[in-house]
Amino acid sequence: MSADFEKIKSIVAEYEGEKRFSHTLAVMREVEYISRKCLFPEEKAEKALLAALLHDITKKFGEKEQEEMFRKYGIDVPASAPTMHEKTGAHFARELFGAAIVDNEVFSAIYCHTTGKEHMSMLDMAVFIADYTEET
């Protein structure tokens, strides 16, 4: 992985805390496994790892803070608080690291990693499945 990836990883660790970051690392290992099994090209595998790294970046934020982020990013506030972080996380990650890092594919995988969506890409599905099947 690149130095940029390691820098992003250290920033995510600060946002998530030890327990959540342990889950994130497990999701990354699972995404890596899925990527190999599905024969992802190297670029897609790297994007899947990045999405796995960023998928829970706003999970630790409280419900009020999540609602504020929904308003900030112009997203309709959902009825279910446990899934708010997938939407806010995608927007927050793009704001924090830029659209060159969090491109549309990575954004999409973060945005639907909990609830899924119609017409999910292989990258979306890899992160979605890894989040549920990781060993912790």
Side-chain angles (χ1 to χ4, degrees):
M1 283 288 123
S2 71
D4 287 342
F5 189 85
E6 291 305 315
K7 183 177 180 180
I8 293 167
K9 197 172 177 181
S10 68
I11 293 168
V12 171
E14 291 177 31
Y15 276 100
E16 291 187 355
E18 190 176 329
K19 184 177 179 185
R20 174 69 39 205
F21 193 63
S22 175
H23 161 73
T24 293
L25 293 175
V27 173
M28 289 173 64
R29 286 189 297 274
E30 192 70 10
V31 155
E32 188 173 39
Y33 172 79
I34 291 167
S35 296
R36 278 195 319 272
K37 287 294 183 183
C38 293
L39 304 174
F40 280 20
E42 185 177 342
E43 180 186 347
K44 289 282 188 215
E46 288 177 4
K47 287 182 181 197
L49 274 176
L50 181 60
L53 173 60
L54 296 170
H55 84 282
D56 276 351
I57 194 165
T58 61
K59 178 86 173 186
K60 190 171 127 178
F61 296 175
E63 192 171 337
K64 288 253 189 253
E65 194 170 4
Q66 295 279 358
E67 288 173 0
E68 287 172 16
M69 292 176 88
F70 266 73
R71 284 189 285 282
K72 175 182 177 180
Y73 298 123
I75 311 166
D76 291 332
V77 178
S80 177
T83 64
M84 293 174 118
H85 74 284
E86 71 178 356
K87 309 297 188 238
T88 60
H91 286 279
F92 183 73
R94 181 171 276 171
E95 180 181 355
L96 194 59
F97 300 111
I101 302 279
V102 183
D103 68 10
N104 291 340
E105 290 179 290
V106 173
F107 184 94
S108 177
I110 299 167
Y111 198 85
C112 70
H113 81 268
T114 303
T115 58
K117 67 179 183 179
E118 282 189 62
H119 310 293
M120 290 172 72
S121 70
M122 291 293 288
L123 196 147
D124 293 338
M125 287 187 271
V127 176
F128 178 85
I129 292 167
D131 192 34
Y132 286 101
T133 60
E134 59 87 3
E135 75 265 13
T136 67

